[in-house]
Amino acid sequence: MRPLPPAILLMGPTASGKTAAAMALYDALPVELISVDSAQVFVDMNIGTAKPDVGLLTRYPHRLIDLITPEERYSAARFRADALAAMAEITAAGRVPILVGGTMLYFRALLHGLAELPQADAALRAQIDRDAASKGWPAMHALLQTLDPVTAERLHPTDSQRIQRALEVCLASGKPMSTLLAAAEQEEPPYNFLQLALLPSDRTALHERIAQRFDAMLRAGLLDEVRQLRCTYQLSLELPSMRCVGYRQAWEALDGSLPLDELRDRGIYATRQLAKRQITWLGNSFTAETFDCLNPALAHSILERTQKFLA
């Protein structure tokens, strides 16, 4: 049998240096980059998503960036189809796909496939939202714990988007979403995967990086970006684009529901919570080789391991 073609997964929490490591691999090896980021799929959302700028994207092209408008929705199922198509093209060209990002659901979907979950039910979703408005999302999380403790365990009590979807699936199907997902797991795609995880040896140091990056986003004009998005598109806080970390807080600051002087602290806190969830996903759902993302020699270590894998 012919050996499977190689593919590299470069995973890690926000601010762990994934993009820089991927660029170092691009400079040294015959690879192409595929973004695994549920926020960078949106056009015109550049500052708050930490999207590489035009110059960097010209030098280091990333597939699956700027696919849809912020008014639209992008699913894990669509990502899997798009990623597999891109990987096939890259492999056919004699190069190696590197999938880089922090959306762990997308990585899991790529590796294991997706369950046939119930279609979105607008009426049921509206009822869940009404219950959340009166009781709070932590109470809805507690309800999810009774219906689907496995899913509830990996969700933060204020992760409204994912709690809503998990409850919707449970109530519509009569089965826990975790059960449906487990039943649908498929064999890996036809690739020899090298899974690399960039994790911090010191959470405090990662938190400082997160704060510095959010400060840079504010200086670069995050509020103006959200203001312009609201002028250009028909948006609401119910859309996935505006639920992205940073964008939700900026939206609330523009509306006055969040005092402007609290925007920085609220945005940094939300980003730290995101990083915590990403790290939990990496520990629970993947068998990746880990590298300290705080190591100054990170890019060199990743390159050495990748060269050995491809030799």
Side-chain angles (χ1 to χ4, degrees):
M1 295 179 62
R2 297 178 60 185
L4 294 176
I8 298 160
L9 307 184
L10 191 55
M11 307 176 283
T14 185
S16 60
K18 300 180 295 294
T19 300
M23 291 175 180
L25 294 179
Y26 188 94
D27 283 335
L29 300 170
V31 300
E32 290 193 36
L33 307 179
I34 300 174
S35 171
V36 187
D37 191 304
S38 61
Q40 292 184 1
V41 299
F42 297 111
V43 298
D44 295 330
M45 289 177 56
N46 303 321
I47 296 172
T49 65
K51 190 181 296 178
D53 61 30
V54 174
L56 284 176
L57 287 177
T58 300
R59 183 175 176 184
Y60 302 98
H62 286 57
R63 299 188 187 218
L64 307 192
I65 282 181
D66 290 340
L67 299 180
I68 59 174
T69 74
E71 298 170 326
E72 300 175 271
R73 298 173 185 268
Y74 190 80
S75 67
R78 179 174 169 186
F79 166 78
R80 189 174 198 266
D82 289 346
L84 288 173
M87 293 170 70
E89 291 178 3
I90 293 168
T91 300
R95 301 176 74 80
V96 177
I98 295 182
L99 294 99
V100 54
T103 302
M104 302 307 160
L105 175 62
Y106 286 6
F107 279 116
R108 190 181 188 282
L110 174 68
L111 291 174
H112 302 297
L114 291 158
E116 290 292 331
L117 299 180
Q119 292 293 320
D121 183 323
L124 181 55
R125 185 168 292 185
Q127 181 60 56
I128 294 170
D129 281 340
R130 286 193 294 271
D131 290 345
S134 63
K135 302 175 184 177
W137 283 108
M140 304 308 290
H141 182 264
L143 173 61
L144 181 62
Q145 285 180 315
T146 67
L147 298 174
D148 185 356
V150 174
T151 299
E153 177 65 25
R154 64 176 179 79
L155 298 182
H156 190 270
T158 59
D159 189 352
S160 58
Q161 183 177 0
R162 292 179 175 84
I163 293 171
Q164 179 195 61
R165 180 56 178 155
L167 284 172
E168 183 184 9
V169 168
C170 288
L171 296 172
S173 69
K175 298 178 181 179
M177 187 167 74
S178 57
T179 300
L180 296 175
L181 293 173
E185 286 203 352
Q186 305 168 11
E187 292 184 2
E188 289 187 357
Y191 289 90
N192 179 21
F193 285 103
L194 174 65
Q195 299 184 37
L196 305 175
L198 279 54
L199 293 170
S201 56
D202 179 357
R203 293 278 186 101
T204 301
L206 181 66
H207 289 173
E208 181 57 33
R209 277 192 186 182
I210 287 170
Q212 291 172 358
R213 190 163 77 165
F214 197 78
D215 285 339
M217 290 176 179
L218 291 175
R219 290 194 300 270
L222 176 59
L223 275 174
D224 288 337
E225 180 172 81
V226 176
R227 189 179 289 113
Q228 184 60 48
L229 288 168
R230 288 168 50 149
C231 291
T232 305
Y233 302 100
Q234 296 294 316
L235 301 176
S236 76
L237 277 179
E238 301 310 309
L239 286 169
S241 59
M242 292 300 103
R243 288 188 175 187
C244 291
V245 168
Y247 287 90
R248 185 180 192 93
Q249 291 74 31
W251 181 294
E252 292 172 344
L254 290 172
D255 273 355
S257 58
L258 175 66
L260 192 58
D261 61 1
E262 294 183 18
L263 169 59
R264 177 184 182 272
D265 288 345
R266 195 75 66 87
I268 290 171
Y269 175 78
T271 310
R272 288 175 176 174
Q273 292 301 113
L274 169 63
K276 181 179 179 181
R277 293 193 296 272
Q278 291 168 316
I279 291 169
T280 299
W281 265 90
L282 277 169
N284 293 344
S285 300
F286 300 92
T287 55
E289 299 179 32
T290 61
F291 292 79
D292 181 9
C293 69
L294 305 175
N295 182 353
L298 172 65
H300 178 72
S301 298
I302 292 290
L303 176 59
E304 267 193 341
R305 178 64 185 95
T306 305
Q307 287 174 323
K308 183 178 178 180
F309 172 69
L310 296 177

